Amino acid sequence: MEVKIVPIPVGFDTIYAVKGEGVILIDGGDPHKVTKLKEGIEKASIKPEEIRLIVLTHGHWDHIGSVKDIKDLTGARVLMHQKDMHFLDETHPSQPPGFTLWGMVIIAFLKLYSRFIRIPAFEVDIVVGDEDFSLVEYGIPGKVVYTPGHSWGSVSVLLESGEAFVGDLAMNMLPMRLTPGLPPFGDDTQIVKKSWQKLLDMGIKTVYPAHGEPFPVEIMQKAIA
Ligand SMILES: [Zn+2]
Ligand SMILES: [Zn+2]
């Protein structure tokens, strides 16, 4: 089956639409991004009602901020890992620790900015655990895989053709990073590396981060060596 990948930049993040026999979205952007998302899918000739599932790679504010609006637009179901569900209860989003000095600087800024962020409430329809979740039922030859570390409930979407949508398990954009590589902040940097080993062992070829352009997996091989 031919699978089409449509990156939709919505400001700070990229939401990916993946189209096989069905269409899914990966991540829900920061708040107030539904118009950009709508323009992006229209350009790719995808109708909102074709989208049946929104996979949230994790619960940070910049990945769930427009989910309520996207759900209203598409009627899609939402999938999230059980260990990130607590983010939905926060009035103002919490921020993870910094792994590096630069990561700590970014987090210090985000902590100040957090008080101005409000996430419209939405319901999660599919709460997954640590086991793989097949996307075949949604018309996509691939699966959702548990890849914690950036947050405790982070997941990645893997296509059978070798593409991996990893959320914030890797980053490739300023101000986070100059070059593609590991995230400068998150819950546990050692667990991030373990998750990377898991993805490498699964034979992925191309990494699609939520922040920045895709890049070959060999870069991550070197990053965790
Ligand atoms: Zn994140
Ligand atoms: Zn992010």
Side-chain angles (χ1 to χ4, degrees):
M1 186 200 306
E2 174 102 24
V3 178
K4 193 173 151 195
I5 296 167
V6 183
I8 306 169
V10 292
F12 189 46
D13 307 61
T14 300
I15 296 177
Y16 292 100
V18 180
K19 184 175 183 182
E21 277 169 9
V23 186
I24 66 166
L25 292 183
I26 299 162
D27 277 332
D30 51 321
H32 315 298
K33 291 299 183 320
V34 70
T35 310
K36 281 203 168 170
L37 185 270
K38 194 165 173 259
E39 287 166 7
I41 58 170
E42 266 166 16
K43 244 191 236 169
S45 306
I46 296 169
K47 293 191 191 79
E49 59 273 19
E50 284 180 83
I51 297 164
R52 292 175 53 210
L53 183 69
I54 306 163
V55 176
L56 302 178
T57 61
H58 62 298
H60 288 161
W61 64 278
D62 53 314
H63 298 253
I64 65 169
S66 292
V67 173
K68 157 91 172 70
D69 298 337
I70 299 172
K71 239 188 140 174
D72 289 348
L73 174 75
T74 61
R77 306 178 83 193
V78 171
L79 177 148
M80 193 181 201
H81 192 281
Q82 166 249 322
K83 290 192 184 107
D84 268 15
M85 290 288 289
H86 65 94
F87 286 110
L88 306 187
D89 301 328
E90 295 177 347
T91 316
H92 300 293
S94 61
Q95 305 294 341
F99 292 152
T100 61
L101 189 59
W102 181 237
M104 288 175 204
V105 171
I106 296 173
I107 290 303
F109 169 77
L110 284 176
K111 278 186 177 163
L112 292 174
Y113 181 59
S114 286
R115 74 186 72 175
F116 304 108
I117 304 169
R118 229 199 87 255
I119 307 293
F122 61 90
E123 222 167 282
V124 174
D125 307 282
I126 305 167
V127 180
V128 293
D130 301 357
E131 56 294 325
D132 296 353
F133 179 92
S134 172
L135 294 169
V136 170
E137 185 191 332
Y138 292 90
I140 301 295
K143 59 187 174 181
V144 178
V145 175
Y146 181 44
T147 51
H150 175 68
S151 72
W152 294 117
S154 287
V155 299
S156 299
V157 172
L158 268 58
L159 301 184
E160 280 170 14
S161 36
E163 295 83 3
F165 303 85
V166 300
D168 286 358
L169 200 63
M171 293 181 178
N172 187 17
M173 194 175 107
L174 288 167
M176 280 79 74
R177 291 191 58 98
L178 272 172
T179 54
L182 295 166
F185 49 85
D187 279 325
D188 190 317
T189 185
Q190 292 311 319
I191 304 289
V192 166
K193 289 179 185 169
K194 267 196 184 168
S195 287
W196 268 109
Q197 195 54 60
K198 178 176 172 177
L199 290 176
L200 294 172
D201 291 347
M202 291 175 125
I204 68 165
K205 293 179 194 141
T206 313
V207 180
Y208 288 77
H211 303 286
E213 298 288 315
F215 59 88
V217 74
E218 286 73 22
I219 289 174
M220 296 316 295
Q221 242 146 7
K222 282 188 198 135
I224 66 160

mmCIF file of all heavy atoms in Angstrom, residues 78-110:
data_model
loop_
_atom_site.group_PDB
_atom_site.id
_atom_site.type_symbol
_atom_site.label_atom_id
_atom_site.label_comp_id
_atom_site.label_asym_id
_atom_site.label_seq_id
_atom_site.Cartn_x
_atom_site.Cartn_y
_atom_site.Cartn_z
ATOM 1 N N VAL A 78 -9.156 10.049 19.530
ATOM 2 C CA VAL A 78 -7.848 10.487 20.024
ATOM 3 C C VAL A 78 -7.210 9.367 20.835
ATOM 4 O O VAL A 78 -7.872 8.733 21.658
ATOM 5 C CB VAL A 78 -8.005 11.758 20.895
ATOM 6 C CG1 VAL A 78 -6.704 12.112 21.597
ATOM 7 C CG2 VAL A 78 -8.479 12.924 20.045
ATOM 8 N N LEU A 79 -5.937 9.122 20.552
ATOM 9 C CA LEU A 79 -5.180 8.075 21.263
ATOM 10 C C LEU A 79 -4.047 8.706 22.054
ATOM 11 O O LEU A 79 -3.336 9.583 21.553
ATOM 12 C CB LEU A 79 -4.617 7.079 20.243
ATOM 13 C CG LEU A 79 -3.735 5.929 20.757
ATOM 14 C CD1 LEU A 79 -3.918 4.686 19.876
ATOM 15 C CD2 LEU A 79 -2.259 6.296 20.865
ATOM 16 N N MET A 80 -3.882 8.243 23.285
ATOM 17 C CA MET A 80 -2.803 8.754 24.136
ATOM 18 C C MET A 80 -2.361 7.663 25.100
ATOM 19 O O MET A 80 -3.156 6.779 25.447
ATOM 20 C CB MET A 80 -3.339 9.952 24.928
ATOM 21 C CG MET A 80 -2.298 10.779 25.614
ATOM 22 S SD MET A 80 -3.133 12.107 26.518
ATOM 23 C CE MET A 80 -1.788 13.242 26.676
ATOM 24 N N HIS A 81 -1.100 7.720 25.537
ATOM 25 C CA HIS A 81 -0.624 6.747 26.523
ATOM 26 C C HIS A 81 -1.133 7.120 27.918
ATOM 27 O O HIS A 81 -1.175 8.302 28.276
ATOM 28 C CB HIS A 81 0.907 6.704 26.525
ATOM 29 C CG HIS A 81 1.453 5.535 27.293
ATOM 30 N ND1 HIS A 81 1.530 5.529 28.661
ATOM 31 C CD2 HIS A 81 1.897 4.330 26.864
ATOM 32 C CE1 HIS A 81 2.036 4.362 29.052
ATOM 33 N NE2 HIS A 81 2.268 3.611 27.981
ATOM 34 N N GLN A 82 -1.458 6.097 28.653
ATOM 35 C CA GLN A 82 -2.044 6.255 29.989
ATOM 36 C C GLN A 82 -1.153 7.112 30.913
ATOM 37 O O GLN A 82 -1.657 7.916 31.704
ATOM 38 C CB GLN A 82 -2.284 4.836 30.525
ATOM 39 C CG GLN A 82 -2.570 4.667 31.985
ATOM 40 C CD GLN A 82 -1.410 3.986 32.671
ATOM 41 O OE1 GLN A 82 -0.779 3.087 32.116
ATOM 42 N NE2 GLN A 82 -1.119 4.430 33.880
ATOM 43 N N LYS A 83 0.174 6.988 30.771
ATOM 44 C CA LYS A 83 1.072 7.699 31.695
ATOM 45 C C LYS A 83 1.165 9.197 31.404
ATOM 46 O O LYS A 83 1.759 9.935 32.195
ATOM 47 C CB LYS A 83 2.475 7.080 31.665
ATOM 48 C CG LYS A 83 2.511 5.699 32.312
ATOM 49 C CD LYS A 83 3.931 5.209 32.538
ATOM 50 C CE LYS A 83 3.940 3.792 33.088
ATOM 51 N NZ LYS A 83 4.382 2.800 32.072
ATOM 52 N N ASP A 84 0.610 9.679 30.300
ATOM 53 C CA ASP A 84 0.596 11.120 30.032
ATOM 54 C C ASP A 84 -0.788 11.743 30.222
ATOM 55 O O ASP A 84 -0.958 12.954 30.010
ATOM 56 C CB ASP A 84 1.116 11.432 28.620
ATOM 57 C CG ASP A 84 2.630 11.705 28.627
ATOM 58 O OD1 ASP A 84 3.288 11.379 29.635
ATOM 59 O OD2 ASP A 84 3.145 12.237 27.627
ATOM 60 N N MET A 85 -1.744 10.929 30.662
ATOM 61 C CA MET A 85 -3.117 11.436 30.823
ATOM 62 C C MET A 85 -3.198 12.568 31.857
ATOM 63 O O MET A 85 -4.061 13.437 31.762
ATOM 64 C CB MET A 85 -4.054 10.297 31.241
ATOM 65 C CG MET A 85 -4.318 9.275 30.149
ATOM 66 S SD MET A 85 -5.368 9.911 28.830
ATOM 67 C CE MET A 85 -6.944 9.988 29.684
ATOM 68 N N HIS A 86 -2.272 12.572 32.831
ATOM 69 C CA HIS A 86 -2.314 13.587 33.890
ATOM 70 C C HIS A 86 -2.156 15.009 33.347
ATOM 71 O O HIS A 86 -2.618 15.967 33.963
ATOM 72 C CB HIS A 86 -1.238 13.304 34.949
ATOM 73 C CG HIS A 86 0.164 13.428 34.429
ATOM 74 N ND1 HIS A 86 0.883 14.589 34.537
ATOM 75 C CD2 HIS A 86 0.960 12.553 33.767
ATOM 76 C CE1 HIS A 86 2.069 14.417 33.981
ATOM 77 N NE2 HIS A 86 2.149 13.181 33.496
ATOM 78 N N PHE A 87 -1.534 15.139 32.157
ATOM 79 C CA PHE A 87 -1.370 16.482 31.582
ATOM 80 C C PHE A 87 -2.731 17.136 31.288
ATOM 81 O O PHE A 87 -2.824 18.357 31.242
ATOM 82 C CB PHE A 87 -0.541 16.427 30.292
ATOM 83 C CG PHE A 87 0.929 16.197 30.527
ATOM 84 C CD1 PHE A 87 1.533 15.000 30.177
ATOM 85 C CD2 PHE A 87 1.711 17.194 31.102
ATOM 86 C CE1 PHE A 87 2.893 14.788 30.392
ATOM 87 C CE2 PHE A 87 3.073 16.998 31.322
ATOM 88 C CZ PHE A 87 3.661 15.790 30.968
ATOM 89 N N LEU A 88 -3.749 16.310 31.063
ATOM 90 C CA LEU A 88 -5.073 16.853 30.720
ATOM 91 C C LEU A 88 -5.741 17.525 31.916
ATOM 92 O O LEU A 88 -6.674 18.297 31.744
ATOM 93 C CB LEU A 88 -5.984 15.749 30.169
ATOM 94 C CG LEU A 88 -5.439 14.941 28.993
ATOM 95 C CD1 LEU A 88 -6.508 14.021 28.443
ATOM 96 C CD2 LEU A 88 -4.944 15.855 27.884
ATOM 97 N N ASP A 89 -5.256 17.223 33.127
ATOM 98 C CA ASP A 89 -5.870 17.795 34.332
ATOM 99 C C ASP A 89 -5.217 19.105 34.759
ATOM 100 O O ASP A 89 -5.655 19.730 35.722
ATOM 101 C CB ASP A 89 -5.763 16.799 35.498
ATOM 102 C CG ASP A 89 -6.448 15.486 35.170
ATOM 103 O OD1 ASP A 89 -7.446 15.528 34.419
ATOM 104 O OD2 ASP A 89 -5.974 14.428 35.638
ATOM 105 N N GLU A 90 -4.152 19.522 34.050
ATOM 106 C CA GLU A 90 -3.431 20.714 34.498
ATOM 107 C C GLU A 90 -4.100 21.999 34.004
ATOM 108 O O GLU A 90 -4.455 22.101 32.828
ATOM 109 C CB GLU A 90 -1.992 20.674 33.964
ATOM 110 C CG GLU A 90 -1.191 19.525 34.553
ATOM 111 C CD GLU A 90 0.218 19.445 33.975
ATOM 112 O OE1 GLU A 90 0.489 20.109 32.961
ATOM 113 O OE2 GLU A 90 1.015 18.717 34.547
ATOM 114 N N THR A 91 -4.247 22.978 34.905
ATOM 115 C CA THR A 91 -4.806 24.265 34.503
ATOM 116 C C THR A 91 -3.794 24.988 33.618
ATOM 117 O O THR A 91 -4.128 25.519 32.562
ATOM 118 C CB THR A 91 -5.101 25.138 35.745
ATOM 119 O OG1 THR A 91 -5.723 24.300 36.717
ATOM 120 C CG2 THR A 91 -6.016 26.289 35.403
ATOM 121 N N HIS A 92 -2.547 25.014 34.076
ATOM 122 C CA HIS A 92 -1.453 25.556 33.270
ATOM 123 C C HIS A 92 -0.411 24.453 33.137
ATOM 124 O O HIS A 92 -0.110 23.788 34.123
ATOM 125 C CB HIS A 92 -0.850 26.801 33.914
ATOM 126 C CG HIS A 92 -1.850 27.896 34.072
ATOM 127 N ND1 HIS A 92 -2.407 28.554 32.998
ATOM 128 C CD2 HIS A 92 -2.429 28.417 35.169
ATOM 129 C CE1 HIS A 92 -3.266 29.447 33.430
ATOM 130 N NE2 HIS A 92 -3.311 29.385 34.745
ATOM 131 N N PRO A 93 0.116 24.259 31.918
ATOM 132 C CA PRO A 93 0.967 23.098 31.703
ATOM 133 C C PRO A 93 2.257 23.102 32.524
ATOM 134 O O PRO A 93 2.909 24.136 32.658
ATOM 135 C CB PRO A 93 1.279 23.165 30.206
ATOM 136 C CG PRO A 93 0.832 24.485 29.728
ATOM 137 C CD PRO A 93 -0.113 25.051 30.714
ATOM 138 N N SER A 94 2.598 21.941 33.086
ATOM 139 C CA SER A 94 3.884 21.793 33.773
ATOM 140 C C SER A 94 4.969 21.545 32.731
ATOM 141 O O SER A 94 4.674 21.197 31.594
ATOM 142 C CB SER A 94 3.817 20.626 34.758
ATOM 143 O OG SER A 94 3.554 19.423 34.063
ATOM 144 N N GLN A 95 6.218 21.737 33.114
ATOM 145 C CA GLN A 95 7.337 21.578 32.185
ATOM 146 C C GLN A 95 8.314 20.551 32.750
ATOM 147 O O GLN A 95 8.507 20.486 33.957
ATOM 148 C CB GLN A 95 8.053 22.924 31.980
ATOM 149 C CG GLN A 95 7.146 24.060 31.528
ATOM 150 C CD GLN A 95 6.557 23.875 30.141
ATOM 151 O OE1 GLN A 95 7.061 23.083 29.350
ATOM 152 N NE2 GLN A 95 5.485 24.578 29.841
ATOM 153 N N PRO A 96 8.942 19.769 31.876
ATOM 154 C CA PRO A 96 9.890 18.741 32.349
ATOM 155 C C PRO A 96 11.238 19.354 32.721
ATOM 156 O O PRO A 96 11.499 20.510 32.397
ATOM 157 C CB PRO A 96 10.037 17.836 31.125
ATOM 158 C CG PRO A 96 9.852 18.750 29.967
ATOM 159 C CD PRO A 96 8.840 19.787 30.404
ATOM 160 N N PRO A 97 12.107 18.586 33.392
ATOM 161 C CA PRO A 97 13.454 19.089 33.699
ATOM 162 C C PRO A 97 14.312 19.252 32.445
ATOM 163 O O PRO A 97 14.041 18.619 31.427
ATOM 164 C CB PRO A 97 14.057 17.988 34.582
ATOM 165 C CG PRO A 97 12.958 17.049 34.908
ATOM 166 C CD PRO A 97 11.885 17.224 33.889
ATOM 167 N N GLY A 98 15.333 20.099 32.520
ATOM 168 C CA GLY A 98 16.302 20.223 31.434
ATOM 169 C C GLY A 98 17.362 19.135 31.547
ATOM 170 O O GLY A 98 17.766 18.782 32.653
ATOM 171 N N PHE A 99 17.792 18.577 30.412
ATOM 172 C CA PHE A 99 18.877 17.578 30.413
ATOM 173 C C PHE A 99 20.229 18.281 30.324
ATOM 174 O O PHE A 99 21.227 17.804 30.814
ATOM 175 C CB PHE A 99 18.770 16.654 29.190
ATOM 176 C CG PHE A 99 17.577 15.723 29.204
ATOM 177 C CD1 PHE A 99 17.017 15.287 28.001
ATOM 178 C CD2 PHE A 99 17.039 15.254 30.389
ATOM 179 C CE1 PHE A 99 15.940 14.424 27.999
ATOM 180 C CE2 PHE A 99 15.953 14.384 30.390
ATOM 181 C CZ PHE A 99 15.404 13.973 29.183
ATOM 182 N N THR A 100 20.232 19.417 29.593
ATOM 183 C CA THR A 100 21.464 20.161 29.356
ATOM 184 C C THR A 100 21.273 21.576 29.895
ATOM 185 O O THR A 100 20.142 21.975 30.203
ATOM 186 C CB THR A 100 21.749 20.263 27.841
ATOM 187 O OG1 THR A 100 20.650 20.976 27.235
ATOM 188 C CG2 THR A 100 21.872 18.893 27.188
ATOM 189 N N LEU A 101 22.359 22.328 29.959
ATOM 190 C CA LEU A 101 22.270 23.707 30.434
ATOM 191 C C LEU A 101 21.302 24.511 29.555
ATOM 192 O O LEU A 101 20.442 25.242 30.041
ATOM 193 C CB LEU A 101 23.667 24.342 30.425
ATOM 194 C CG LEU A 101 23.769 25.709 31.095
ATOM 195 C CD1 LEU A 101 23.341 25.632 32.557
ATOM 196 C CD2 LEU A 101 25.190 26.245 30.989
ATOM 197 N N TRP A 102 21.428 24.322 28.227
ATOM 198 C CA TRP A 102 20.544 25.031 27.301
ATOM 199 C C TRP A 102 19.092 24.595 27.509
ATOM 200 O O TRP A 102 18.163 25.410 27.486
ATOM 201 C CB TRP A 102 20.993 24.809 25.851
ATOM 202 C CG TRP A 102 20.137 25.526 24.861
ATOM 203 C CD1 TRP A 102 19.458 24.979 23.819
ATOM 204 C CD2 TRP A 102 19.845 26.927 24.822
ATOM 205 N NE1 TRP A 102 18.754 25.945 23.138
ATOM 206 C CE2 TRP A 102 18.972 27.145 23.736
ATOM 207 C CE3 TRP A 102 20.216 28.022 25.622
ATOM 208 C CZ2 TRP A 102 18.482 28.411 23.414
ATOM 209 C CZ3 TRP A 102 19.711 29.278 25.302
ATOM 210 C CH2 TRP A 102 18.866 29.456 24.199
ATOM 211 N N GLY A 103 18.908 23.285 27.743
ATOM 212 C CA GLY A 103 17.569 22.760 28.027
ATOM 213 C C GLY A 103 16.968 23.426 29.257
ATOM 214 O O GLY A 103 15.780 23.760 29.282
ATOM 215 N N MET A 104 17.809 23.655 30.280
ATOM 216 C CA MET A 104 17.324 24.303 31.506
ATOM 217 C C MET A 104 16.899 25.746 31.232
ATOM 218 O O MET A 104 15.930 26.233 31.805
ATOM 219 C CB MET A 104 18.423 24.278 32.578
ATOM 220 C CG MET A 104 18.653 22.883 33.144
ATOM 221 S SD MET A 104 20.050 22.874 34.296
ATOM 222 C CE MET A 104 20.537 21.164 34.203
ATOM 223 N N VAL A 105 17.633 26.418 30.341
ATOM 224 C CA VAL A 105 17.291 27.804 29.983
ATOM 225 C C VAL A 105 15.922 27.827 29.287
ATOM 226 O O VAL A 105 15.051 28.643 29.622
ATOM 227 C CB VAL A 105 18.376 28.416 29.049
ATOM 228 C CG1 VAL A 105 17.918 29.759 28.488
ATOM 229 C CG2 VAL A 105 19.691 28.567 29.800
ATOM 230 N N ILE A 106 15.719 26.930 28.346
ATOM 231 C CA ILE A 106 14.437 26.876 27.629
ATOM 232 C C ILE A 106 13.292 26.610 28.605
ATOM 233 O O ILE A 106 12.242 27.256 28.559
ATOM 234 C CB ILE A 106 14.457 25.777 26.533
ATOM 235 C CG1 ILE A 106 15.503 26.116 25.460
ATOM 236 C CG2 ILE A 106 13.076 25.601 25.892
ATOM 237 C CD1 ILE A 106 15.715 25.017 24.437
ATOM 238 N N ILE A 107 13.515 25.643 29.513
ATOM 239 C CA ILE A 107 12.465 25.281 30.470
ATOM 240 C C ILE A 107 12.158 26.450 31.419
ATOM 241 O O ILE A 107 10.992 26.700 31.740
ATOM 242 C CB ILE A 107 12.867 23.995 31.246
ATOM 243 C CG1 ILE A 107 12.824 22.789 30.289
ATOM 244 C CG2 ILE A 107 11.952 23.758 32.450
ATOM 245 C CD1 ILE A 107 11.494 22.539 29.597
ATOM 246 N N ALA A 108 13.191 27.179 31.829
ATOM 247 C CA ALA A 108 12.968 28.340 32.706
ATOM 248 C C ALA A 108 12.054 29.352 32.001
ATOM 249 O O ALA A 108 11.125 29.900 32.601
ATOM 250 C CB ALA A 108 14.302 28.988 33.071
ATOM 251 N N PHE A 109 12.297 29.549 30.689
ATOM 252 C CA PHE A 109 11.461 30.462 29.921
ATOM 253 C C PHE A 109 10.029 29.912 29.810
ATOM 254 O O PHE A 109 9.053 30.643 30.012
ATOM 255 C CB PHE A 109 12.065 30.675 28.525
ATOM 256 C CG PHE A 109 11.126 31.381 27.588
ATOM 257 C CD1 PHE A 109 10.929 32.751 27.691
ATOM 258 C CD2 PHE A 109 10.411 30.670 26.631
ATOM 259 C CE1 PHE A 109 10.031 33.403 26.854
ATOM 260 C CE2 PHE A 109 9.517 31.317 25.793
ATOM 261 C CZ PHE A 109 9.328 32.686 25.905
ATOM 262 N N LEU A 110 9.922 28.610 29.515
ATOM 263 C CA LEU A 110 8.588 28.011 29.337
ATOM 264 C C LEU A 110 7.773 28.056 30.626
ATOM 265 O O LEU A 110 6.555 28.198 30.597
ATOM 266 C CB LEU A 110 8.713 26.570 28.843
ATOM 267 C CG LEU A 110 9.065 26.401 27.359
ATOM 268 C CD1 LEU A 110 9.268 24.930 27.017
ATOM 269 C CD2 LEU A 110 7.977 26.997 26.465
#
